[in-house]
Amino acid sequence: MPNMSLIKNEMPAQAPEIRNKNFLEVTLGYTKEQAIDEAKRCLNCKNKPCISGCPVQIDIPAFIKEVAEGNFEAAYDVITRSSSLPAVCGRVCPQESQCEQKCVRGIKGEAVAIGRLERFVADYHNANSTVKAVKPASNGHKAAVIGSGPSGLACAGDLAKKGYEVTVFEALHLAGGVLVYGIPEFRLPKAIVQKEINTLKELGVKIATNVIVGKTLTIEELKNEYGFEAIFIGSGAGLPRFMNIPGENLKGVYSANEFLTRVNLMKAYNSDSTTPIQKGKKVTVVGGGNVAMDAARCAKRLGADVTIVYRRTEKELPARLEEIEHAKEEGINFLFLTNPLEIKGDENGWVTGIRCQEMVLSQPDESGRAKPIPLEGSDFDVETECVIMSIGTSPNPLIKSTTKGLETQRWGGIIADETTGSTSLPGVYAGGDAVTGAATVILAMGAGKAAAAAMDSYIKSKGE
């Protein structure tokens, strides 16, 4: 194919100079032959260490064995016993720090590309299978899920498979949570997310959009008036954080959440968008995580010269290595050991620049992480028209403030049991970013699955 480069394990991808001007998916997936060849590298280890690295416990050797033999639908069946979102996880999970990190092949060489094989299997199924999921017989019980992000969808899927009548309540007009508003189209096409959601609907999951729990409805009403016997809160962490430095109220300053929501959910990059985004010629992104990379790469595709400002070194960047490499290839600039002090503006209130300070790293503390320390007298200015703050998020306080007796952390996270997701309220469970703060898709899914099992036990015990 033309205009392609090859990255790890011969994965076809759009060439950087092409993809940084469009929102089409960057990586293009394995061919059948590539998938089979990669699957044959699996040693089918007796102890299966890769499974211990998977938060949803997919039987990885079993599905890879099926791929190696060309049984792609059988591989899909193995994966979906444990995962409700295989096409999503195959794209956005940090496999390099989870299942692939445990791969024996990786000890002396390159780990088996488990994530890319999962993506291939899911894509093959979605492209070729005409069989719809079968709704299980109802067990006569009702459960509610708040939030249609990864934790909520995983919880809903597992409960539906057990015969529960499940309703998912989503605040936005489209289901998917962070999968649709946070992760860009070029990393996770939204058609794929909707396909996964449609599969859950086939299992009987009902999705009610434009319902803000805590405002439209309360948890008490869901239990007492609507008869939901157990409730899972998977409302995510959508409240952005700012640095509280001068100039953050200037026009042209965005939180990464707002910027990405406008781009991903509202399609602000289209010329006829009803919710356009400012297309600055020079954009500065503050932060170093995956969200910062997503915001920077979106801004690049909107035509900007983009610089990421990060107060530690490249070695400490928390984003996935693949995302960092892609950003560099696409022409994103990096200013390391740099911390913003002030955002500057003109007489009309528009951003004109950002004053920064150089940093140095201390010796590592007890946690093993070095602390950035300001270098006195090192202030300098960066010319920019738009600043995107990507320094983290916390849970929205709405549910906490409207649910009597629901215990939360001081920073807003719901207090929930690590194993079951149970909260201070009987029959109310929570998981994902609403509990932990911003984390990964697969960890949120793991929490949703654990809560579904606990909710099942709770409802059954009530019946007994």
Side-chain angles (χ1 to χ4, degrees), residues 38-60:
E38 184 61 28
K40 287 180 178 177
R41 295 182 60 239
C42 177
L43 301 174
N44 200 20
C45 306
K46 182 180 179 181
N47 295 326
K48 304 180 180 181
C50 52
I51 297 179
S52 67
C54 176
V56 297
Q57 299 290 288
I58 292 172
D59 190 343
I60 293 168

Side-chain angles (χ1 to χ4, degrees), residues 341-361:
L341 297 174
E342 176 187 358
I343 302 170
K344 299 180 142 189
D346 62 19
E347 63 276 8
N348 296 316
W350 287 96
V351 171
T352 58
I354 184 166
R355 172 151 291 182
C356 297
Q357 185 176 41
E358 292 181 21
M359 311 293 282
V360 292
L361 293 184

Side-chain angles (χ1 to χ4, degrees), residues 12-205:
Q14 287 193 76
E17 67 276 11
I18 302 296
R19 68 180 190 242
N20 68 5
K21 298 177 182 65
N22 66 59
F23 280 82
L24 302 176
E25 190 166 18
V26 169
T27 52
L28 306 177
Y30 283 152
T31 63
K32 291 181 186 179
E33 294 75 20
Q34 288 171 320
I36 290 171
D37 287 345
E38 184 61 28
K40 287 180 178 177
R41 295 182 60 239
C42 177
L43 301 174
N44 200 20
C45 306
K46 182 180 179 181
N47 295 326
K48 304 180 180 181
C50 52
I51 297 179
S52 67
C54 176
V56 297
Q57 299 290 288
I58 292 172
D59 190 343
I60 293 168
F63 102 74
I64 290 180
K65 183 174 183 292
E66 297 291 359
V67 175
E69 294 174 0
N71 302 324
F72 305 137
E73 283 300 326
Y76 182 81
D77 290 342
V78 172
I79 295 171
T80 52
R81 287 178 208 150
S82 304
S83 174
S84 303
L85 306 169
V88 171
C89 291
R91 286 169 165 82
V92 302
C93 281
Q95 292 95 1
E96 67 277 5
S97 61
Q98 294 179 157
C99 53
E100 291 178 16
Q101 188 180 59
K102 303 280 188 178
C103 178
V104 173
R105 273 280 191 190
I107 296 173
K108 292 185 178 180
E110 193 168 51
V112 175
I114 298 168
R116 289 173 179 169
L117 289 173
E118 180 181 16
R119 167 185 166 163
F120 167 80
V121 169
D123 287 355
Y124 181 89
H125 170 83
N126 289 340
N128 294 282
S129 177
T130 57
V131 179
K132 291 189 174 183
V134 178
K135 179 182 176 181
S138 174
N139 63 15
H141 296 284
K142 292 173 64 177
V145 172
I146 301 169
S148 65
S151 64
L153 294 177
C155 181
D158 277 21
L159 288 171
K161 290 173 184 176
K162 296 177 187 293
Y164 286 90
E165 298 294 326
V166 184
T167 302
V168 177
F169 295 95
E170 168 56 46
L172 296 176
H173 64 279
L174 188 66
V178 71
L179 302 175
V180 296
Y181 76 74
I183 302 175
E185 183 81 13
F186 56 81
R187 268 213 306 137
L188 180 62
K190 303 307 160 234
I192 288 170
V193 179
Q194 293 310 310
K195 176 73 175 175
E196 303 274 49
I197 290 171
N198 287 340
T199 299
L200 293 179
K201 288 180 177 179
E202 290 168 5
L203 288 170
V205 174

